[in-house]
Amino acid sequence: MRAALDWAGTQRSTAVVVLWRGRIVAERYWSGWNTGTDSIIASAGKSVLSALIGQLSVTGRLALDDPVTRWLGAGWSRSPSTESRITLRDLLSMSSGLNDSLQLVAQPGNRFYYNNPAYYQLFQVAQRASGQDINTASRSLLFDAIGMSSTWRLSFDTGEPGFILSATARDMARYGLLSLSKGRWNGTAVLSDSTWFDRSWRFSTPDNAGYGYLWWLNSGASYRMPGPYVLPTVQTPLIPSAPRDLVAALGKGDKKIYVIPSLQVVVVRHGEEADVAGGNPLAVSAFDEQWWQRLKVAMRY
């Protein structure tokens, strides 16, 4: 494990936390970071929003098959004549059929496209369904119960209003533990339905076995990379050296929350894009496989 962390430290990491059976077994910081340092975790925050949407769903404040227009009204996309066919489930699975300009180019529910402008619409849905701003809703429904101090920051990086989560490595680990325990914390249910994570960790579109409801999955024999519709399918699991039941919250710049139920393990990595990453990856990068080749030796699975 020490060797695995040493290598991560050569890859522009600022924090690594490894937990086994709910306890920290390894923790390391670099570049002046410590347990209280936070920074944005980019698209790794998608998997956090997944649980918030799940909680609003299981408590009856919204339904996954609701048309997005029910919450945002007509005209939220740039395909007003067809947008009523797009559901919240489509946004969760990155299968809205929209391109980055929010124009419909495919049938909703059929094709995976890693679409941040479409994903950002879920924040407005969450705020309207909860009747609270996104930070208040997150604290009351998730964060306070598990001791997370994270904050959503307003972002217009896609041209659409949305939010990006700023978190410490330990807050990332706390969310990983909540996911590992299927929504329970110290024996108390934080999510009202313990099956939400199980449902989030099943592939959700016909053409991408590596993606669920805003979570990346290692259980499929193939996956599709983030990017244009024309990108090919990769004919391997997401991270070949990792356990097949691994699920991951992955963000640009190699922000990582790995959850492995079979090993009762959570691994977190914060930092900048790794030197081995392969060039500004949106989520999956060459760093994942190279690090798991080393973590595999440490965990002996």
Side-chain angles (χ1 to χ4, degrees):
M1 181 62 72
R2 187 176 299 113
L5 267 65
D6 287 346
W7 181 82
T10 71
Q11 295 297 312
R12 305 178 71 194
S13 300
T14 54
V16 167
V17 184
V18 181
L19 303 103
W20 178 49
R21 296 181 176 175
R23 297 184 181 274
I24 294 173
V25 296
E27 187 172 23
R28 190 86 62 84
Y29 295 92
W30 299 267
S31 302
W33 274 49
N34 56 46
T35 57
T37 309
D38 73 314
S39 186
I40 62 170
I41 63 172
S43 287
K46 288 183 170 75
S47 303
V48 179
L49 183 63
S50 174
L52 183 61
I53 295 293
Q55 180 70 332
L56 292 169
S57 169
V58 299
T59 54
R61 281 175 273 188
L62 58 77
L64 299 191
D65 290 320
D66 284 345
V68 180
T69 51
R70 175 183 173 184
W71 295 101
L72 302 187
W76 65 270
S77 77
R78 293 177 181 86
S79 294
S81 63
T82 54
E83 66 186 15
S84 61
R85 290 185 283 149
I86 301 170
T87 67
L88 302 184
R89 191 186 306 274
D90 296 330
L91 296 184
L92 280 171
S93 59
M94 293 285 182
S95 62
S96 65
L98 299 171
N99 63 15
D100 286 338
S101 298
L102 299 183
Q103 296 171 318
L104 196 71
V105 295
Q107 292 299 312
N110 291 319
R111 297 178 65 185
F112 175 82
Y113 177 60
Y114 197 74
N115 187 327
N116 281 336
Y119 154 74
Y120 272 177
Q121 309 307 312
L122 285 169
F123 286 99
Q124 296 303 320
V125 172
Q127 292 185 127
R128 294 180 184 185
S130 67
Q132 299 173 312
D133 68 82
I134 194 66
N135 279 303
T136 302
S138 297
R139 286 193 296 269
S140 63
L141 296 176
L142 290 177
F143 294 175
D144 286 351
I146 66 175
M148 281 182 70
S149 58
S150 304
T151 301
W152 294 101
R153 298 180 182 176
L154 184 63
S155 173
F156 289 89
D157 64 332
T158 70
E160 295 291 324
F163 294 87
I164 296 179
L165 194 66
S166 187
T168 67
R170 285 194 174 187
D171 276 352
M172 295 165 73
R174 286 175 181 274
Y175 183 69
L177 285 177
L178 180 72
S179 306
L180 183 66
S181 65
K182 306 296 177 64
R184 300 185 70 82
W185 192 260
N186 286 336
T188 300
V190 176
L191 262 69
S192 302
D193 183 351
S194 63
T195 69
W196 173 256
F197 286 100
D198 289 326
R199 286 184 281 150
S200 298
W201 296 346
R202 300 189 191 113
F203 77 89
S204 54
T205 53
D207 67 339
N208 190 359
Y211 205 75
Y213 290 158
L214 302 178
W215 281 90
W216 289 93
L217 318 176
N218 205 42
S219 54
S222 63
Y223 68 95
R224 287 199 60 206
M225 291 286 289
Y229 282 110
V230 296
L231 284 182
T233 297
V234 180
Q235 298 296 334
T236 69
L238 187 73
I239 309 172
S241 290
R244 292 300 296 276
D245 67 330
L246 174 145
V247 296
L250 303 176
K252 183 178 180 180
D254 288 312
K255 279 71 171 176
K256 315 287 185 184
I257 306 174
Y258 306 114
V259 178
I260 308 95
S262 62
L263 300 179
Q264 299 183 60
V265 163
V266 172
V267 180
V268 164
R269 187 266 186 190
H270 216 320
E272 302 301 321
E273 179 189 335
D275 291 335
V276 299
N280 201 29
L282 292 175
V284 189
S285 87
F287 172 82
D288 295 284
E289 172 62 13
Q290 293 198 35
W291 199 26
W292 272 98
Q293 289 174 5
R294 292 161 172 84
L295 290 170
K296 181 175 183 178
V297 176
M299 297 181 189
R300 300 180 183 180
Y301 54 85

